Amino acid sequence: MKKRLKGTWRAFVILFIVGTLLIQSGCGFKDIDKRIFVLSIGVDHTDNEEKPYRVILKLSVPSGSLKESGAEYTYLIKESESISTAIRLLKTETDKELDFGHAKVILFGEEILHHDYREIMDFFLRRRDIQTVSWVGVGKPSAEDVLTAEPNSEMAGSHALFNYFDQNGVESQLIVTTYLFDFRRRVLEKGIDPILPILIAKENNKRIDLNKSIVVNDKNEVLTLNEKQTAIYNLLTNNIERLDIRVHNEDVNFTVAIDTANVGYQLITEQKKKPIIEMDVEMIGIIQEADMITNPEKLRAYSNATSKTVKKDVLETLTQFQKNEMDPIGFGVRYKATRLPNNKRNQEWQSLYPEVEFKINVNATLKSTGVIE
């Protein structure tokens, strides 16, 4: 009897499993030949209140060989009242499913920053198929101009914008790298402001310049940083170790190649005293170029001249941030993190920041005058 019951139970389980498998629906996976990959996304602001957003998608067109001629990219463009609506409409303009898994660059037109860009950011963060490690930047004169640019150095199977940010291609002290997750943190967090790289299309969209950046505060006010200020920002946030510094005064005129740089600071606040940000900058490098005869015995004097130049540049950049009520470094976050919470730290910092005095200590050490002695 027990054997019969055991056999009946086993048959029932097998029939149940088979029946379950028969009624299972197919998965949502689509073959690669049924998909087309979105490499980058651009959003520009229009003057049309009913359709304020112009969405641009740069798509990769697969080819059988890297040597094949012809178009390597195609573009889909649509204006709509929202980004999601625009993408839904763009899906009807291609015979393949839009795959956003490789969309690693998101560009905003500069005009977007003067409006509520938080709504746009919300769309990208809610989609599970868009990576939060995507790079975010600002396109000039528009995001469309930058995305549709095809530099002569761009090769088949690659995307020039990826090479700017992934550190596997170009490495430059003038390139600010901002990820989508960090952009969101800076937008929502009090005490630090978003900073984005500026990409400029030039020479009939055959060249892209990326040597400036832009800071945005919670009032949608913007501050554009020039090349020197962008390099100083990267230095102060320890985003780079190698940079070039031009030292020029009445006595010396040379360029220093810094191989190692490290920056640290502390925020000092005492009652009835002016708040102080004391910053220490340590640098090691060599003289790379000079418009004068250099003497190895004067390395200490050259090092002192470099320290004075860096101190001046850092102080000018920090003062510019302070004057425009911008804080891309995150001094406000450091203030809150090093004080006991009392629900008033944000207001305290907003009143303290305009009064902060910067004390910059720079120690630049030059090891040699280069190969030519």
Side-chain angles (χ1 to χ4, degrees):
M1 178 64 69
K2 290 183 178 180
K3 291 183 178 180
R4 183 180 299 176
L5 290 175
K6 186 177 181 179
T8 303
W9 176 252
R10 183 180 299 173
F12 174 77
V13 171
I14 293 173
L15 289 174
F16 177 78
I17 294 175
V18 172
T20 304
L21 293 175
L22 290 175
I23 63 175
Q24 289 292 320
S25 59
C27 66
F29 176 79
K30 293 187 179 182
D31 292 332
I32 193 170
D33 60 331
K34 298 297 190 297
R35 291 181 288 167
I36 189 166
F37 296 98
V38 179
L39 297 179
S40 48
I41 307 172
V43 183
D44 286 319
H45 196 276
T46 69
D47 296 328
N48 187 349
E49 295 182 358
E50 296 182 357
K51 297 181 178 180
Y53 301 119
R54 183 177 176 86
V55 179
I56 307 98
L57 304 181
K58 184 170 185 175
L59 310 177
S60 175
V61 178
S63 60
S65 172
L66 294 178
K67 297 182 179 180
E68 288 184 4
S69 60
E72 300 163 3
Y73 307 101
T74 187
Y75 305 91
L76 297 178
I77 302 174
K78 182 67 67 176
E79 294 183 3
S80 184
E81 69 274 9
S82 67
I83 300 178
S84 56
T85 302
I87 290 178
R88 186 169 65 249
L89 294 173
L90 289 175
K91 285 187 175 184
T92 64
E93 298 183 9
T94 177
D95 63 327
K96 297 178 177 62
E97 179 68 18
L98 296 176
D99 191 316
F100 290 88
H102 294 270
K104 296 175 62 178
V105 175
I106 300 171
L107 292 184
F108 299 143
E110 189 175 16
E111 189 64 25
I112 288 288
L113 301 180
H114 298 284
H115 297 80
D116 190 7
Y117 54 86
R118 293 166 181 81
E119 179 181 349
I120 301 175
M121 179 189 66
D122 184 72
F123 165 81
F124 293 108
L125 290 165
R126 288 182 181 274
R127 285 190 67 104
R128 64 180 181 271
D129 53 350
I130 294 180
Q131 305 175 55
T132 55
V133 292
S134 298
W135 298 294
V136 185
V138 175
K140 291 184 66 175
S142 67
E144 181 179 354
D145 287 318
V146 176
L147 287 189
T148 55
E150 296 184 6
N152 295 327
S153 61
E154 190 172 53
M155 299 177 61
S158 68
H159 189 5
L161 297 184
F162 292 176
N163 294 333
Y164 280 114
F165 300 114
D166 63 8
Q167 300 299 318
N168 291 323
V170 62
E171 294 184 22
S172 172
Q173 66 195 52
L174 304 178
I175 296 178
V176 170
T177 300
T178 301
Y179 294 100
L180 179 59
F181 72 86
D182 184 50
F183 180 59
R184 176 182 183 272
R185 179 180 70 91
R186 289 170 174 265
V187 169
L188 300 180
E189 181 69 66
K190 299 295 183 181
I192 187 169
D193 291 320
I195 181 170
L196 299 171
I198 298 178
L199 296 89
I200 305 175
K202 291 186 174 181
E203 297 180 4
N204 296 323
N205 289 356
K206 290 298 181 182
R207 183 166 66 89
I208 298 176
D209 280 0
L210 206 171
N211 50 31
K212 297 182 179 66
S213 55
I214 190 168
V215 185
V216 191
N217 62 13
D218 54 4
K219 301 176 184 177
N220 288 354
E221 298 171 339
V222 300
L223 172 65
T224 301
L225 307 184
N226 58 29
E227 292 90 342
K228 181 186 293 186
Q229 293 168 336
T230 299
I232 293 298
Y233 165 80
N234 278 328
L235 171 67
L236 298 182
T237 53
N238 290 312
N239 287 335
I240 54 171
E241 290 186 350
R242 294 180 175 85
L243 69 156
D244 298 334
I245 298 171
R246 185 67 177 176
V247 180
H248 177 67
N249 55 42
E250 296 179 355
D251 300 325
V252 294
N253 186 9
F254 57 86
T255 301
V256 176
I258 299 298
D259 296 323
T260 304
N262 186 51
V263 179
Y265 69 89
Q266 57 180 340
L267 206 161
I268 304 170
T269 56
E270 298 180 9
Q271 289 185 354
K272 299 181 180 180
K273 289 186 178 181
K274 208 169 188 179
I276 297 173
I277 292 179
E278 187 170 351
M279 184 171 290
D280 296 318
V281 182
E282 298 285 340
M283 314 177 79
I284 300 175
I286 64 173
I287 294 179
Q288 181 173 254
E289 181 183 359
D291 295 341
M292 62 181 194
I293 298 176
T294 55
N295 187 348
E297 297 180 357
K298 296 183 179 180
L299 278 176
R300 178 170 292 183
Y302 301 152
S303 298
N304 292 335
T306 303
S307 298
K308 291 179 181 178
T309 298
V310 174
K311 179 179 179 178
K312 175 177 174 292
D313 293 342
V314 170
L315 187 58
E316 287 179 353
T317 301
L318 292 177
T319 304
Q320 183 78 353
F321 291 155
Q322 183 186 44
K323 179 181 177 181
N324 289 272
E325 299 181 354
M326 303 284 189
D327 186 10
I329 308 295
F331 296 130
V333 173
R334 173 71 67 88
Y335 177 81
K336 293 189 298 179
T338 53
R339 272 75 180 168
L340 292 174
N342 62 1
N343 296 326
K344 296 181 180 179
R345 295 304 183 193
N346 287 325
Q347 293 85 343
E348 290 177 5
W349 177 247
Q350 289 175 3
S351 62
L352 287 173
Y353 188 43
E355 305 298 326
V356 165
E357 178 183 352
F358 298 103
K359 291 187 177 181
I360 313 300
N361 306 311
V362 180
N363 181 21
T365 303
L366 302 185
K367 294 296 185 180
S368 75
T369 57
V371 177
I372 299 178
E373 299 293 346

